[in-house]
Amino acid sequence: MLIPTTILLALSSALLPFLLHPLNKLLRNIILTIPPLLALLIIISQLNSQEVPSYQLSWLPSLGLDLYFESSYFQLLFGFFILFIGIFIHLFAVIYLQNDPSQKSWFFWFFMFMGSMLGLIFSANLFLLFLFWELTSLASFFLIGHYYEQEEARKSAWEALLITGGGGLCLLTGFIMIFIITGSVNLPELQDKFNNTSYPLLTNIAILLIILGIMTKSAQYPFHFWLPDAMTAPAPASAYLHSATMVKAGVFLSFRLSPIFSNLYLWHVLLVFFGGFTFFWGALCCLKENSIKKALAYTTVSTLGLLTCLIGIGTPEIIYSAVLLMFAHAIYKAGLFLFAGTIEFTTHHKYLSKIEGLWRKQPLFFMVALLSIYSLAGFPYTFSFHAKEELIRSIYRLNPSYIVMFSLLLIIGNSLIIGFSTRLFIIPLLRAKTKEATFHPGISSFLLTNIPLFFAIAGISIPLSKDLTGIFHKLSHNFIPNIVVEHSQNTTGHFQHYLLLLPSILSWSIGIVLGFYIIWKGNIINEQGITPFATRLYQHIIQQLLLQSDRITRFFQNGKLRSYLQTFAVAVLIVSFIAIVTEWEIIKANILTHIVRPEHKITKYDFILTSIIIAGIFGVIFARTKLTAVICLGIIGYGMAIVFLIFSAPDLAMTQFIIETLTVSLFVFVFYHLPEQPLYRRKTTKYQNLFICTLFGIVMGFLTLSASSIQTHPSISSYFTTKSLNEAHGGNIVNVILVDFRGFDTLGEITVLAIAGIGTYALLRYQRLKNHE
Amino acid sequence: MEWLFAILVGGLYSAGLYLMLQRNMFKLVLGMCLISHGANLLIFTAGGLTRNLPPIFSEANSIPAQMTDPLPQAFVLTAIVISFGVTAFLLVLVHRTHKILNTDDVDDLIKTDLQ
């Protein structure tokens, strides 16, 4: 029960800004932190308890949808990080957005995100997880598009929503497939059921789709481009969603699913391949990028790639080190993003080259950057150094060929990132070329500085504190059942220290040299930033999509009645032909009974009558004047009346006689005044129309034959025939049906007729009034 | 007997559709009329054709089982009346269009949409 409470608490903060509208802005924003603080306390209390609490409530049992939450130690720790980082970023945002008129909606989506992220972390039901997954995408959309008056922000928000939302749909499909395969979507049950399945193809497709979802959410190549573009969001949102938490959702999901899919080849191959490439590609891109936030986003992409790759390798030690790396990254990256946010807030610049000379003007602020960069580069005694050390140790336990491969990947990727770190470190030390960059040290920028400083210090102090390392040691024992890490300070004796440090030292030295080289050759950096190929591809696809859909719409919605009718008729023909072909045997049997063994003898009068009607039809088509056409129409109508008369329907015959007389006189009345115009035809489409119409007529003839011979349900007519005389006291059954049994239908019919009559009258009268004027 | 009427229904439908595919508004109305005749005949035929057994209780025939099915007749009766209403409205509409736009080409109506 406590876990759903934490989610609800975080969500309740979303509504508070609106409820507390009358209060002072600052007070209101401070009150907003209370519910997440309470949730944080709950989670801390849970961290110390031994058992794994879970909460289950049947919601839609027929769809396998339960409100099912569980909280292992790993999940609790992740939840702790979400709330902890979230509260500090909220405080930062309070100052950052103090003059923003629409800050209430920003806080709404911020806390919506916090709640749904917690839900995502704790949910143990895949469908529930998907629900929260899409909620986070939605919150991200609104937070990226916060400055909606800027076109760039709107575009980026759409991009993020389309990519992550589309990936979410893939994920849902994958989950549904898993539901089909195993019959369960509850994660704890899935573990056992998945091993003895016999759908290899479906399983692989499901895995492919789930990995697509993970890749889009966690910005893996080739879907990585939305993340740098999402940096149009206000800095706190970038720090929180697009580095510390939301983008980790994909990684988190692969953490949760890795024990289930651990014996499936495809899962490992895809994750390692795409993750590894993203690690390299993101690091390469961040070197070339000039905008601080975008470059940081590329380092995030790179780290996410590394995490995905590590989960793909999937030995318990490596997964544990990946968890450590993820937490370390969350802390220092939040600090770095807030640092970038402070720079934007105080100088309104977002390019790296504009922070030259920061060291002289704001030494304290520069310290923030220094400490965060220290963590980013993974220098000794930082949390990320600790995590990477753990990682290298666990890589050394793999096969020798893998050791070479992954060490090489790690060295290359890390040296690229360190090259970027060096740049970020050196540039503020340089003397400013221009004097325009002015920093306004004030109370707000003082506060803004302190929060990134806090994160920077946290990134370094965690491995130094005994209690905090204790938590992670506990984690190593708890979070995945089969993980066994004999872990304490002295296990490093197993390997030589220099061997452990070798990859790090190599990447540091290469990276620093690379960083200096790039600063020296300053012209490598494109001032306007880079547009990756994937972005251009995405833009091209979106553009083409709009263009083609416009073209298709114009083709079908061309405003011509004839083409609509043609489309309709062709669609009917296609459907009917499919039906005729598939049900040919039945139709043939029915038609034969009607042709070979007619139930009624056909008299010569029937032939004469039919011939007259058909002659009337031809007359209508080939008539040269309107009057001829109307006379032929009248012939058809009277012919119909005689048909009704012959086949035992006197009421119909009478009605048809009256109505036909009225129709013909109306035609004549209406067209009497109009000038005679030729009934022209267009030669070009004549044969096409003729073809469609002939086929349409044949299909309708088939329908008539089939309909008159097939009886799928018992007739209800006997009810009317037996009750007519006894209960309704009427001899003419048709009349009794109309006015008694189905009296309300007739009322409706009369209403329709009355409305048509009023419309007709109004149109005629309108015309008369016009004439009068 | 039904196959003869099936041909008739097919003829009415194809002629009706053919007329409706013309550009002339007057032919459009004629096509509508033909198609409604076709629909009436289709329902009537599908309900079963019997001679000289009207669904009316009389001294000559008072056994319900020996009467023709009254239900399709009730439907067709409704359909005839409704189609008359629609035709009347359509005719007046065409007439008005003709008066205002001075055209009986359906394609010319696209332009008024855009104005």
Side-chain angles (χ1 to χ4, degrees), chain B residues 3 19 43 45 48-49 52 54 60 91 95-96 99 109:
Chain B
W3 63 270
L19 287 172
I43 299 171
T45 314
L49 299 172
N52 301 323
L91 268 177
H95 183 69
R96 294 276 319 134
K99 279 267 168 184
L109 298 184

Side-chain angles (χ1 to χ4, degrees), chain A residues 368-384:
Chain A
V368 177
L370 180 67
L371 291 174
S372 305
I373 294 164
Y374 197 68
S375 283
L376 173 68
F379 284 123
Y381 303 112
T382 58
F383 189 14
S384 55

Side-chain angles (χ1 to χ4, degrees), chain A residues 145-166:
Chain A
H146 181 67
Y147 299 125
Y148 52 82
E149 62 281 351
Q150 300 168 2
E151 194 194 357
E152 202 189 342
R154 292 197 302 270
K155 271 188 178 167
S156 310
W158 264 117
E159 202 174 282
L161 186 70
L162 285 177
I163 299 287
T164 57

